[in-house]
Amino acid sequence: MSRIQSVFATLKAQGKKALIPYITAGDPHPDHTVPLLHALVEAGADMIELGVPFSDPMADGPVIQRASERALVHKMGLRKVLGMVKEFRASNQTTPIVLMGYANPIEAMGSSQFVALAKEAGVDGVLTVDYPPEECERFNQELASADIDSIFLLSPTTEPSRTELIVKQATGFLYYVSLKGVTGAANLDIVEVKKRVAEIRQQTSLPIGVGFGVKDAATAREVAAIADAVVVGSRMVLAIENSDATHLITNVQALTKELRTAIDSV
Amino acid sequence: MQMYDMPDERGHFGPFGGVFVAETLVEALEELRVMYEKYRHDPEFLAEFAYDLKHFVGRPSPIYHAKRLSDKVGGAQIYLKREDLNHTGAHKINNTIGQALLAKRMGKPRVIAETGAGQHGVATATIAARLGLECVVYMGAEDVKRQAPNVFRMKLLGATVVPVESGSKTLKDALNEAMRDWVTNISNTFYIIGTVAGPHPYPMMVRDFQAVIGIEAKEQMQEMIGRQPDAVVACVGGGSNAMGIFYPYIDVEGVRLIGVEAGGHGLSTGQHAAPLTANSPIGVLHGNRTYLMQDEDGNIIETHSISAGLDYPGVGPEHAWLKDIKRAEYVAITDEEAMTAFHNLCRTEGIIPAMESSHALAHAEKLAKTMSPDQVVLVNLSGRGDKDINTVARLANITL
């Protein structure tokens, strides 16, 4: 059983939902990333999405783009991100790390080298935003042969026939994008999300995470009532952006605890 | 002879092209693909397109024999395909009309566009005004400064111009921002991409709408000189004017196709926008796989060109393919060489060319010198230079 599967299995047995915070590697400074990962776990994160900075993050809103820009000032490339995962893994062998990013840094490194290094570093899942399933069959096979999960997005506009195609290639969990837009955009429509998540469950037994519009504890709670996991990205990155170095860890932990409590109250 | 038949059904030109977008855009692109397939051979749609090209744009654009320039250069005869004479001053209008007509048929009341030099933005604002569509144009904040007259033109035409402050604040960032708008407003918005890049079906569709340039040129050259030119030369940023004139010539043997990229301060300085000539690695950006200027981490690097319209780190996937199969050749021209060619055309022919097109002219001059007077070089004069006079004046330290 992969680390991602076992997290979902354990939570299910406890009747709980997963909290998955997102941070961008190297934001605000590379020195902060590994301590932040540990701090998130300590404050209640079940799994972490670690963003790989990219110069042109087309699917992200301004908040996460600024995080990428802050990280890129420090030349935060994919190789260094993998180094951070390795460092985190040295003292944490249980919390899954999902890398979230764009295709080009992976292609620049070469997909097979990336998969080998990711495996060695202890990466559990990879979500490549601009790799729809039709364009990444070989990459998917490479990930599978290294026992790394392929996480795919489903959107409000994804037709059932396409969901069928995606769930066939997806492993670990599915990530339902709760709104039409970029990360951190307008508020999500919980009634619509509920309906779509129910539809997706007809087509797959994989756990479903929901993200792209979870702005506060109240939304996190609503989403937790529907989904298996709540992904919080822009809100988390905003907390990082608004903190000076001395308050960074405490602020991020306070937010994580608040979200944890909300999710557990379902 | 096997006829050229690209791309494949999913928009691949060999290893290039494709649909590399987030899931949130997949359905919108699929809808567009289906609708374009439905209309691309529809006689009524094509007739409406042809009518607007003739009566609104002023097509066919003439071909002009630049005799004085040819004599001055010495060597082959230089002919100019006068896209600069189109309504709005460049080839960009051909494509925006095609896409706007499609937007209307798809029932989308709002169009958005990205623009670099502003020509595509102006062309989009123009057709939006004519068809009564709401229009929003994204433009890098740097380019807004560089191209103030075009910004004002767009506003006069009723468009909203949004300066993009992220990243390098140029064309690629405007494209990112337009994509974000599209993802958010998919149900009522049509994204009019201005070049032969982006996810499928854009590279194919923009090529098809621009192919009118090459189709006319083939007829006109036959009429004027009784044969086809020895070489066709066009500038390449994303590559839409070049694809437009190259495409109908791909199956014509004996015609060299030469794309001219922006060499900026020179390829050795790294400050250029010439991914094909500089042998940049293959990568994925803006929905397609192509040659891409990037650093070792796969981040896109900032490009430089005197001409905003060529200042793009990638290139349309079909150009990448034509390079690989050796059907087209690609070269680079520096800022300085382009400026010299700009002044040359002004003084010898009474035509002020766009800075972008000046790159093609500069290479045509180089090439013509190596050829004999009975040979012919056809240059796609993709736009007029009125928009560039501020830049030219600034370079000469003249305040207008």
Side-chain angles (χ1 to χ4, degrees):
Chain A
M1 196 184 275
S2 76
R3 261 193 290 258
I4 291 177
Q5 284 172 325
S6 77
V7 161
F8 279 111
T10 310
L11 288 171
K12 196 172 182 182
Q14 298 170 345
K16 288 168 77 176
K17 302 300 175 73
L19 171 60
I20 312 181
Y22 165 99
I23 62 170
T24 300
D27 172 38
H29 187 279
D31 291 348
H32 294 305
T33 304
V34 175
L36 269 174
L37 293 175
H38 289 300
L40 287 167
V41 175
E42 197 187 279
D46 299 297
M47 194 184 307
I48 296 167
E49 263 191 33
L50 186 59
V52 180
F54 182 50
S55 52
D56 294 78
M58 276 179 1
D60 286 299
V63 173
I64 291 180
Q65 174 157 28
R66 286 199 300 271
S68 252
E69 287 173 3
R70 285 192 293 270
L72 288 173
V73 168
H74 305 288
K75 302 259 173 261
M76 192 66 213
L78 182 52
R79 216 168 271 276
K80 288 185 190 163
V81 178
L82 292 170
M84 288 171 169
V85 176
K86 198 172 181 178
E87 199 185 327
F88 170 77
R89 269 288 162 258
S91 51
N92 181 323
Q93 286 87 46
T94 52
T95 310
I97 298 277
V98 172
L99 290 189
M100 183 166 181
Y102 292 80
N104 202 53
I106 293 171
E107 297 211 349
M109 180 181 276
S111 64
S112 47
Q113 201 194 350
F114 165 73
V115 171
L117 291 177
K119 175 78 185 164
E120 192 202 327
V123 168
D124 300 285
V126 174
L127 196 175
T128 312
V129 178
D130 51 353
Y131 261 166
E134 295 91 340
E135 298 284 4
C136 65
E137 274 176 47
R138 207 193 58 176
F139 180 58
N140 243 353
Q141 285 161 10
E142 288 174 330
L143 288 173
S145 62
D147 294 318
I148 297 175
D149 284 318
S150 291
I151 318 298
F152 281 95
L153 297 173
L154 289 173
S155 94
T157 54
T158 307
E159 300 279 343
S161 59
R162 202 174 153 73
T163 303
E164 199 61 46
L165 172 86
I166 293 170
V167 299
K168 267 186 202 149
Q169 293 207 38
T171 57
F173 68 98
L174 287 162
Y175 186 148
Y176 178 69
V177 174
S178 60
L179 43 82
K180 291 176 189 168
V182 292
T183 52
N187 293 319
L188 57 81
D189 174 354
I190 201 74
V191 179
E192 174 67 16
V193 173
K194 187 172 184 174
K195 182 171 151 267
R196 286 306 312 266
V197 169
E199 284 166 10
I200 297 164
R201 287 203 197 280
Q202 306 274 315
Q203 293 181 265
T204 180
S205 55
L206 282 173
I208 299 170
V210 171
F212 268 50
V214 183
K215 291 209 142 110
D216 49 29
T219 352
R221 190 173 182 279
E222 286 182 317
V223 169
I226 298 163
D228 304 300
V230 182
V231 188
V232 185
S234 295
R235 181 66 192 86
M236 200 56 74
V237 171
L238 213 52
I240 293 173
E241 187 174 72
N242 293 333
S243 303
D244 56 29
T246 45
H247 298 98
L248 184 63
I249 299 281
T250 42
N251 288 352
V252 166
Q253 283 197 318
L255 175 63
T256 309
K257 282 175 188 163
E258 190 191 336
L259 293 165
R260 178 82 261 169
T261 309
I263 289 173
D264 287 346
S265 71
V266 170
Chain B
M1 191 183 140
Q2 207 191 338
M3 296 292 279
Y4 181 83
D5 181 24
M6 285 296 210
D8 72 11
E9 213 171 273
R10 297 201 43 78
H12 297 104
F13 301 88
F16 306 107
V19 183
F20 293 89
V21 295
E23 190 54 35
T24 39
L25 274 178
V26 168
E27 276 313 313
L29 286 163
E30 181 58 14
E31 183 194 8
L32 178 61
R33 189 187 67 78
V34 168
M35 293 303 270
Y36 182 57
E37 279 307 321
K38 181 176 167 189
Y39 287 113
R40 65 187 292 208
H41 303 299
D42 177 64
E44 215 172 289
F45 177 79
L46 293 175
E48 198 178 338
F49 182 45
Y51 181 91
D52 267 8
L53 289 181
K54 182 176 177 186
H55 298 279
F56 189 61
V57 178
R59 303 202 71 91
S61 66
I63 284 185
Y64 168 74
H65 182 189
K67 285 201 190 90
R68 268 175 41 87
L69 180 68
S70 307
D71 287 348
K72 187 177 170 189
V73 169
Q77 301 306 308
I78 298 172
Y79 284 71
L80 308 176
K81 176 66 173 161
R82 298 291 307 274
E83 291 299 298
D84 61 315
L85 294 177
N86 291 342
H87 178 41
T88 72
H91 71 289
K92 293 289 187 188
I93 189 81
N94 303 328
N95 166 54
T96 59
I97 289 178
Q99 291 195 47
L101 290 177
L102 198 56
K104 266 207 114 162
R105 277 176 168 69
M106 289 170 72
K108 311 273 184 184
R110 179 174 181 267
V111 295
I112 57 171
E114 84 295 339
T115 197
Q119 291 306 100
H120 174 59
V122 169
T124 304
T126 299
I127 191 62
R130 164 151 149 54
L131 295 177
L133 302 166
E134 184 193 341
C135 178
V136 176
V137 179
Y138 291 91
M139 188 168 185
E142 254 333 290
D143 292 334
V144 168
K145 271 189 256 164
R146 287 196 277 193
Q147 306 286 342
N150 268 346
V151 174
F152 190 58
R153 242 170 235 135
M154 288 183 261
K155 289 180 180 168
L156 286 176
L157 292 160
T160 305
V161 180
V162 182
V164 177
E165 299 282 354
S166 58
S168 59
K169 304 177 189 182
T170 59
L171 178 58
K172 77 174 177 67
D173 308 288
L175 225 151
N176 292 336
E177 210 54 43
M179 286 271 187
R180 290 181 181 129
D181 178 316
W182 198 31
V183 143
T184 312
N185 301 295
I186 263 172
S187 52
N188 73 340
T189 298
F190 188 106
Y191 180 16
I192 299 186
I193 291 186
T195 192
V196 287
H200 182 64
Y202 283 102
M204 172 180 83
M205 181 170 69
V206 176
R207 173 199 74 191
D208 293 350
F209 289 142
Q210 291 293 2
V212 64
I213 304 172
I215 292 167
E216 286 175 4
K218 271 168 84 176
E219 274 180 35
Q220 291 165 318
M221 289 313 292
Q222 195 60 41
E223 270 171 34
M224 288 177 86
I225 61 169
R227 65 182 182 91
Q228 295 306 325
D230 299 282
V232 176
V233 180
C235 64
V236 176
S240 70
N241 89 78
M243 264 334 296
I245 197 163
F246 286 180
Y247 183 55
Y249 276 109
I250 290 177
D251 284 326
V252 181
E253 275 178 72
V255 179
R256 286 173 71 186
L257 304 177
I258 305 170
V260 185
E261 295 187 301
H265 295 315
L267 295 191
S268 60
T269 66
Q271 293 182 314
H272 57 82
L276 293 175
T277 317
N279 292 313
S280 295
I282 293 170
V284 172
L285 182 70
H286 295 151
N288 67 94
R289 184 180 278 131
T290 187
Y291 289 106
L292 208 52
M293 291 177 59
Q294 53 184 302
D295 65 17
E296 55 185 20
D297 288 326
N299 286 305
I300 310 310
I301 54 180
E302 289 188 18
T303 52
H304 166 79
S305 170
I306 193 173
S307 115
L310 301 182
D311 211 350
Y312 183 67
V315 63
E318 193 161 15
H319 285 294
W321 175 243
L322 292 177
K323 182 194 174 189
D324 273 23
I325 63 168
K326 297 188 165 54
R327 178 59 189 97
E329 309 154 51
Y330 295 87
V331 297
I333 282 292
T334 63
D335 289 351
E336 209 181 324
E337 291 170 318
M339 278 304 299
T340 306
F342 171 90
H343 288 297
N344 245 346
L345 195 72
C346 290
R347 297 293 178 91
T348 55
E349 297 289 353
I351 297 170
I352 301 177
M355 208 70 91
E356 290 77 13
S357 322
S358 300
H359 287 72
L361 288 164
H363 184 70
E365 289 183 20
K366 277 190 190 174
L367 182 68
K369 276 189 193 129
T370 68
M371 296 164 71
S372 63
D374 59 343
Q375 290 185 295
V376 170
V377 174
L378 174 64
V379 179
N380 195 12
L381 190 64
S382 55
R384 69 175 87 122
D386 306 36
K387 69 181 174 58
D388 295 312
I389 56 171
N390 287 313
T391 309
V392 175
R394 200 164 54 240
L395 287 169
N397 287 317
I398 296 166
T399 314
L400 293 184

